[in-house]
Amino acid sequence: MIANKFPYAFAKNKKLMEHLTEAVLRDMPQADIYIVRAILWTLSETRAPFAIKWLSGEELEQSHAVELGLPNPTITNPNRENSANLEFGDGLPNGNYLL
């Protein structure tokens, strides 16, 4: 499972998050970079709680936001959740989008 290998891979390569984010964005250029990054951080046992908190729209302590490379949503983009629904849709192949 990738989540089990993530801590070791990240310890060896501190730019792993940037590489993974870039790889996802190559396949999904319309995706929000911060949402992608936060989802990827959920693979880290120690950083997942902060990523989940951020994904749920809660503000992080500034030090955690900086460490994860995420802006605080209430400060920079309070409508992030609405834009995420428009960008990713409901995941159905016919392109239905949640509003």
Side-chain angles (χ1 to χ4, degrees):
M1 177 181 224
I2 192 168
N4 295 336
K5 296 178 182 179
F6 184 81
Y8 304 108
F10 186 72
K12 288 183 178 181
N13 182 359
K14 294 298 179 184
K15 294 204 176 258
L16 177 64
M17 186 56 59
E18 287 82 13
H19 296 303
L20 291 173
T21 302
E22 289 171 5
V24 170
L25 291 175
R26 273 194 303 273
D27 289 340
M28 295 184 66
Q30 76 284 3
D32 182 295
I33 187 171
Y34 299 119
I35 293 174
V36 170
R37 186 174 288 149
I39 291 169
L40 291 170
W41 275 123
T42 64
L43 298 172
S44 167
E45 186 175 300
T46 58
R47 292 172 181 93
F50 304 112
I52 293 167
K53 183 177 180 179
W54 187 88
L55 286 165
S56 69
E58 295 182 46
E59 188 172 334
L60 299 177
E61 288 183 30
Q62 190 60 32
S63 62
H64 292 139
V66 169
E67 180 183 359
L68 274 61
L70 301 171
N72 270 316
T74 57
I75 295 171
T76 57
N77 188 0
N79 296 317
R80 179 177 52 89
E81 185 177 324
N82 290 336
S83 68
N85 287 339
L86 292 174
E87 290 177 17
F88 288 105
D90 62 6
L92 297 175
N94 63 3
N96 289 331
Y97 291 92
L98 300 175
L99 297 176

